């Protein structure tokens, strides 16, 4: 009895210490899957260890290490991605010999069957693993038959039958086995060597506690089995967002797909094909498929089925996944809307995912107005805004950059509150470096019935762009930025880092703006070839303000309300030239001092430090010479020491007519005459006194 009490006490203490350990590590009790992902990101687990632990959580939880044994599983729709990663990794030789041997030993270890029911319509067998789940299995068969008919009518391949692995030549579904928090999973078990495509055999497991969502879970997992009949090499994210869209098309009245939207819409800066075990992001990605279907197709599932048919490739090339989903989507949309590109698809999706819930304008997703409240924990279905800015006459210029670094093929949004009742244009400029980019402006008023959608005009490299929009009745605009990803990107399913940044400048172009007042220049001497930096300081500078030198436009590098930096233009000849800033009403303000263009790149170089050299002092194109007061001018341009600058017209010679000697003689005669007058004055005065 005493031993029994001691044992119970030990168990209680172990449980308390384990819970305390979990809270110490994570701050709160998180799921196994999220804890594994956290350890992976922090470098505590390798990718092999993370995959192994996620696999063990489903198949052999008793073998998990101590820090994972007491953590709960993440509630999620499917665990197919774990088995897909194992299956693909085995074929592509991504694992160590020890891990490969472990996975191969367990590759087709199916759940035990306590009984089954067969379909008389399709090669379908549904097993129950416990007599308590027999009725659940019978219901699942009805749902599976309906899903089979609906999904194959869309154009998906029927699942591959397994040649008797489950007792007969059918696709097997097992009801009642625990799926580590998932409602179910589809497990690929073998490649089909009888075809020329990379299809594979599968079986399906549906958890007993998924009974409340049995219809959609069966439709979801059966679609995975159909995807496997097309291509088992595609990344997990594409499997999940397709199956989530399809389950809604099979059972549209249930609508549990909407639960996943906030987990997707909260992270628009994540990559298009981002995947994270334990996350619900990839299920919310069904919005990507919904956009594909509604904008390019008929929203009947047939276009996404065509994409999957386009993914089929030869089985002998497991390492090189072509055609990939980018290529297949591009081909599919070009058939629907000739000339469409994948870049069009990405920028279009950035637009459509914004007009959801309270942002609905009636012109995008057909059900967008119903997507107001998605689930109890996340709430809103609207996309997350990266930054909020306010434009006004007091603050007519705004510059900034995205707060959340972006992945490739992702979205970002800057919401701009506008001044009321102002007749003005707004100028927006986007600057980005690495990757390729696209951007649009959405402008609207409170009624949200007449949005203006203005694409930014991008440069050839797709790294900078600008647009001007007349504000008129609008009181809000949104800058929607799309990272298009690098050219010729080939997806592998790996999650690229969140590293991409862009910069934006937003400003008012209005006749009501005060004129700019330049105070100082950072330099006043430039080469005629241009390309040098000039910074002008002052006040009342505005976005869209132009800077010219001698009428030639300088390139704006960056600007604010008190400073603008430009790249000087090319001017062929030496000279002093005016610097001018444009005003909002089309006039210009000229800086008080001119700048000098002079140097080796000028067509006529004047030596301004000592004498005018003989090559340019009398050249018709040389409009000025500056002579040092202590040095005589060259023989070609005679001037005395007081002749500092010689200006001449192209048709004239130098207009200093006197030599230095002549000037000295005149000065002597004048001095002598004045001296004589002074002497005569004092002589007469002395006589008067006497």
């Amino acid at each position: 009895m005493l031993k029994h009490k001691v044992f119970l006490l030990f168990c209680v203490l172990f449980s308390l210490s384990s819970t305390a350990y979990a809270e110490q590590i994570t701050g709160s009790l998180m799921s196994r899957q999220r804890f594994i992902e956290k350890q992976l990101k922090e470098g505590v687990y390798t990718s092999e260890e993370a995959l192994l632990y996620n696999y063990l959580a489903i198949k052999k939880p008793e073998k998990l290490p101590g820090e994972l044994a007491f953590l709960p599983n993440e509630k999620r729709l499917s665990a197919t991605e774990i088995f897909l990663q194992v299956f693909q990794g085995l074929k592509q030789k991504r694992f160590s010999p020890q891990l490969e041997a472990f996975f191969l030993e367990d590759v087709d270890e199916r759940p035990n069957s306590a009984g089954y029911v067969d379909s008389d319509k399709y090669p379908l067998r549904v097993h129950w693993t416990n007599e308590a789940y027999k009725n659940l299995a019978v219901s699942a068969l009805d749902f599976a038959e309906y899903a089979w008919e609906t999904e194959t009518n869309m154009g998906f391949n029927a699942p591959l039958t397994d040649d008797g692995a489950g007792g007969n030549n059918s696709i097997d579904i097992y009801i009642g086995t625990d799926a580590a928090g998932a409602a179910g999973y589809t497990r690929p078990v073998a490649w089909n060597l009888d075809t020329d495509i990379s299809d594979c055999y599968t079986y399906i497991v549906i958890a007993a506690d998924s009974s409340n969502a049995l219809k959609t879970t069966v439709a979801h997992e059966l679609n995975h089995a159909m995807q496997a009949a097309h291509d088992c090499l595609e990344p997990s994210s594409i499997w999940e967002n397709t199956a989530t869209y399809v389950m809604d098309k099979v059972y549209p009245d249930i609508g549990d797909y909407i639960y996943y939207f906030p987990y997707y819409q909260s992270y628009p800066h994540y990559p298009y094909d981002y995947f994270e075990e334990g996350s619900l992001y990839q299920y919310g990605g069904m919005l990507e498929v919904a956009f594909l279907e509604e904008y390019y197709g008929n929203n009947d599932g047939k276009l996404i089925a065509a994409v999957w048919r386009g993914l089929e490739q030869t089985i002998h090339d497991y390492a090189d996944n072509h055609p990939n989903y980018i290529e297949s989507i591009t081909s599919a949309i070009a058939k629907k809307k000739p000339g469409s590109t994948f870049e069009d698809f990405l920028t279009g999706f950035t637009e459509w995912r914004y007009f959801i819930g309270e942002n609905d304008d009636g012109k995008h997703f057909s059900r967008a107005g119903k997507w107001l409240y998605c689930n109890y924990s996340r709430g809103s279905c609207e996309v997350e805004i990266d930054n909020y800015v306010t434009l006004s006459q007091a603050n007519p210029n705004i510059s900034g950059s995205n707060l959340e670094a972006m992945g490739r093929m992702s979205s970002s949004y800057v919401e701009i509150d506008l001044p009321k009742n102002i007749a003005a244009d707004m100028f927006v400029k986007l600057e980005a470096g690495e990757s390729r980019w696209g951007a649009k402006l959405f402008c609207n008023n409170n009624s949200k019935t007449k949005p203006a959608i203005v694409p930014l005009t991008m440069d050839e490299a797709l790294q900078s762009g600008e647009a001007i929009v007349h504000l008129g009745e609008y009181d809000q605009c949104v800058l929607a930025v799309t990272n298009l990803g690098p050219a010729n990107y080939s997806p592998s399913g790996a999650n690229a880092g969140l590293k991409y940044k862009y910069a934006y400048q937003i400003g008012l172009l209005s006749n009501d703006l005060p004129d700019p007042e330049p105070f100082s220049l950072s330099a006043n001497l430039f080469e005629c070839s241009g390309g040098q930096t000039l910074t002008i300081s002052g006040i009342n500078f505005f976005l869209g303000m132009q800077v010219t030198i001698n009428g030639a436009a300088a390139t704006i590098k960056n600007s604010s309300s008190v400073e603008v930096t430009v790249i000087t233009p090319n001017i062929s000849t030496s000279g002093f030239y005016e610097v001018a800033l444009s005003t909002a009403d089309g006039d210009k303000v000229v800086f008080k001092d001119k700048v000098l263009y002079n140097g080796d790149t000028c067509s006529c170089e004047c030596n301004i430090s000592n004498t005018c050299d003989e090559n340019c002092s009398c050249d018709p194109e040389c409009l000025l010479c500056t002579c040092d007061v202590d040095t005589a001018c060259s023989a070609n341009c005679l001037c005395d020491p007081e002749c500092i600058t010689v200006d001449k017209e192209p048709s004239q010679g130098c207009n200093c007519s006197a030599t230095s000697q002549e000037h000295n003689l005149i000065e002597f005669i004048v001095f002598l005459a004045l001296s004589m007058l002074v002497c005569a004055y004092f002589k007469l005065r002395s006589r008067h006194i006497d």
Side-chain angles (χ1 to χ4, degrees):
M1 186 68 177
L2 179 61
K3 288 182 179 180
H4 181 65
K5 290 182 177 179
V6 170
F7 176 75
L8 289 176
L9 178 61
F10 170 78
C11 291
V12 170
L13 290 175
F14 177 79
S15 176
L16 290 174
S17 63
S18 297
T19 304
Y21 174 68
E23 292 178 349
Q24 180 182 359
I25 293 175
T26 66
S28 62
L29 200 62
M30 65 168 61
S31 70
R32 281 175 179 162
Q33 289 72 25
R34 289 189 177 275
F35 181 68
I36 292 170
E37 190 70 25
K38 177 177 181 291
Q39 298 294 79
L40 174 62
K41 289 180 178 179
E42 294 176 356
V44 179
Y45 292 164
T46 65
S47 57
E48 278 198 358
E49 288 173 328
L51 180 58
L52 174 60
Y53 295 154
N54 276 316
Y55 181 89
L56 291 176
I58 301 171
K59 295 292 289 183
K60 302 178 187 297
E62 71 278 3
K63 292 188 176 182
L64 286 168
E67 70 268 22
L68 295 172
F70 55 82
L71 292 175
N73 286 307
E74 180 80 16
K75 292 294 183 183
R76 60 204 191 281
L77 181 56
S78 178
T80 299
E81 56 264 20
I82 297 302
F83 297 101
L84 184 62
Q85 289 181 66
V86 169
F87 187 71
Q88 292 174 347
L90 286 171
K91 196 60 178 179
Q92 296 168 347
K93 301 293 184 183
R94 295 203 302 255
F95 305 135
S96 65
Q98 296 84 354
L99 189 59
E100 180 177 314
F102 172 79
F103 284 144
L104 284 173
E105 182 182 354
D106 191 52
V107 71
D108 197 14
E109 186 179 298
R110 295 178 176 232
N112 293 324
S113 175
Y116 57 83
V117 57
D118 289 325
S119 169
D120 56 7
K121 294 182 179 179
Y122 306 109
L124 265 172
R125 171 170 284 187
V126 181
H127 304 258
W128 53 89
T129 58
N130 185 297
E131 286 295 327
Y133 306 135
K134 181 177 179 180
N135 291 337
L136 201 61
V138 172
S139 297
L141 178 61
D142 290 338
F143 302 151
E145 287 178 338
Y146 180 70
W148 185 300
E149 179 182 5
T150 306
E151 295 179 29
T152 53
N153 284 342
M154 293 177 186
F156 285 99
N157 289 348
L160 299 183
T161 56
D162 55 17
D163 198 23
N168 71 340
N169 192 26
S170 298
I171 175 75
D172 294 284
I173 301 175
Y174 296 86
I175 304 293
T177 301
D178 178 59
Y185 61 80
T186 302
R187 180 166 190 178
V189 292
W191 296 95
N192 181 12
L193 301 180
D194 296 328
T195 65
D196 293 330
I197 61 175
S198 51
D199 52 345
C200 64
Y201 298 99
T202 59
Y203 67 82
I204 296 171
V205 170
I206 306 294
D209 60 1
S210 68
S211 57
N212 292 333
L214 188 59
K215 287 182 177 180
T216 51
T217 302
V218 168
H220 184 103
E221 297 305 333
L222 189 64
N223 188 247
H224 281 328
M226 292 182 178
Q227 293 164 7
H230 290 285
D231 182 7
C232 281
L233 287 176
E234 294 306 316
S236 300
S237 54
I238 309 304
W239 284 57
E240 295 300 348
N241 61 38
T242 298
T244 307
Y245 170 83
V246 168
M247 76 180 195
D248 175 58
K249 300 309 294 182
V250 176
Y251 292 107
D253 296 334
I254 295 178
D256 51 4
Y257 67 92
I258 199 172
Y259 174 84
Y260 305 105
F261 280 7
Y263 299 94
Y264 183 79
Q265 290 285 74
S266 295
Y267 306 100
H269 56 290
Y270 280 14
Y272 172 83
D273 54 358
Y274 181 79
F275 164 81
E276 181 179 314
E277 173 58 21
S279 168
L280 302 178
Y281 177 89
Q282 49 267 24
Y283 309 116
M286 68 86 71
L287 274 174
E288 301 163 6
V289 184
F291 165 68
L292 172 76
E293 281 282 347
E294 289 206 35
Y295 183 69
Y296 293 99
N298 298 316
N299 197 23
D300 54 10
K302 293 184 177 181
L303 187 55
I304 188 59
V307 168
W308 275 91
R309 292 196 301 274
L311 289 171
E312 298 169 359
Q313 63 249 323
T314 58
I315 196 167
H316 303 291
D317 197 8
Y318 295 110
D320 188 17
N321 183 26
H322 288 284
N324 56 51
Y325 69 83
I326 294 177
E327 294 162 339
S328 186
I329 289 175
T330 302
S331 175
I333 63 177
K335 291 176 183 177
K336 293 292 185 178
K337 294 182 183 291
S340 296
T341 66
F342 192 70
E343 289 78 11
D344 297 331
F345 174 82
L346 291 175
T347 55
F349 179 63
T350 295
E351 175 186 329
W352 277 53
R353 74 184 298 183
Y354 173 79
F355 290 100
I356 284 177
E358 293 185 355
N359 297 326
D360 176 40
D361 64 347
K363 296 182 174 67
H364 293 83
F365 287 112
S366 58
R367 294 179 287 178
K370 299 178 180 179
W371 296 338
L372 292 170
Y373 183 81
C374 289
N375 68 50
Y376 65 91
S377 62
R378 294 288 182 130
S380 176
C381 303
E382 288 85 22
V383 73
E384 188 78 12
I385 302 298
D386 181 80
N387 204 356
Y388 296 85
V389 299
T390 300
L391 200 62
S392 65
Q393 288 182 287
N395 186 30
N397 302 306
I398 298 169
S399 60
S401 62
N402 51 314
L403 301 179
E404 295 282 1
M406 300 171 68
R408 67 239 178 320
M409 299 188 298
S410 61
S411 308
S412 182
Y413 303 85
V414 179
E415 190 172 289
I416 311 161
D417 283 336
L418 301 172
K420 309 298 182 187
N421 303 319
I422 180 172
D425 292 338
M426 180 177 68
F427 180 86
V428 176
K429 185 171 184 179
L430 178 77
E431 291 282 354
E434 189 179 1
S435 193
R436 301 171 306 141
W437 302 79
K440 297 179 182 179
L441 279 171
F442 314 146
C443 295
N444 217 328
N445 53 28
N446 289 330
S447 67
K448 294 183 171 61
T449 55
K450 297 180 180 180
I453 299 177
V454 181
L456 272 65
T457 301
M458 304 298 294
D459 66 0
E460 188 174 352
L462 299 179
Q463 293 187 333
S464 66
E466 57 185 48
I468 295 177
V469 60
H470 183 67
L471 299 183
E473 61 185 290
Y474 304 125
D475 50 31
Q476 184 186 83
C477 289
V478 173
L479 173 62
V481 180
T482 306
N483 181 356
L484 301 172
N488 302 318
Y489 166 69
S490 182
S492 63
N495 293 329
L498 305 177
K499 63 179 182 178
Y500 298 99
K501 300 285 285 186
Y502 64 86
Y504 55 84
Q505 296 180 5
I506 306 168
L508 288 176
L509 302 176
S510 170
N511 294 339
D512 297 331
L513 295 176
D515 289 346
E517 295 183 37
F519 295 156
S520 63
L521 308 179
S522 62
N524 57 15
L525 176 61
F526 302 100
E527 286 285 345
C528 289
S529 58
Q532 295 173 284
T533 299
L534 168 63
T535 299
I536 307 170
S537 299
I539 59 173
N540 300 332
F541 295 172
F542 58 92
L543 200 61
M545 181 183 72
Q546 300 297 311
V547 176
T548 59
I549 300 178
N550 194 40
T555 301
I556 306 293
K557 189 175 181 182
N558 50 62
S559 66
S560 69
S561 60
V562 295
E563 187 175 272
V564 59
T565 299
V566 301
I567 304 300
T568 57
N570 173 285
I571 298 178
S572 61
T573 58
S574 298
F576 286 99
Y577 300 116
E578 72 174 22
V579 177
L581 282 63
S582 66
T583 63
D585 59 3
D587 204 349
K588 68 179 182 179
V589 172
V590 177
F591 189 66
K592 58 184 179 64
D593 297 325
K594 295 183 177 182
V595 296
L596 174 63
Y597 270 61
N598 193 44
D600 294 338
T601 61
C602 299
S603 60
C604 175
E605 180 184 0
C606 292
N607 186 330
I608 63 171
S609 60
N610 291 304
T611 63
C612 301
D613 71 34
E614 60 184 13
N615 293 323
C616 83
S617 55
C618 287
D619 190 308
E621 291 184 355
C622 182
L623 303 184
L624 72 97
C625 278
T626 301
C627 298
D628 189 277
V629 294
D630 297 324
T631 307
C633 295
S634 67
N636 293 327
C637 183
L638 301 178
C639 52
D640 61 36
E642 291 185 356
C643 184
I644 306 302
T645 301
V646 179
D647 295 319
K648 71 182 186 65
E649 297 295 328
S651 61
Q652 298 175 346
C654 299
N655 62 10
C656 279
S657 58
T659 67
S660 300
Q661 292 84 356
E662 290 172 343
H663 186 78
N664 290 340
L665 179 60
I666 293 172
E667 279 190 333
F668 175 75
I669 293 172
V670 172
F671 173 79
L672 183 61
L674 289 173
S675 300
M676 291 175 65
L677 288 173
V678 170
C679 289
Y681 171 79
F682 281 108
K683 185 174 181 180
L684 290 172
R685 181 175 177 80
S686 62
R687 287 178 180 177
H688 177 74
I689 294 173
D690 292 341

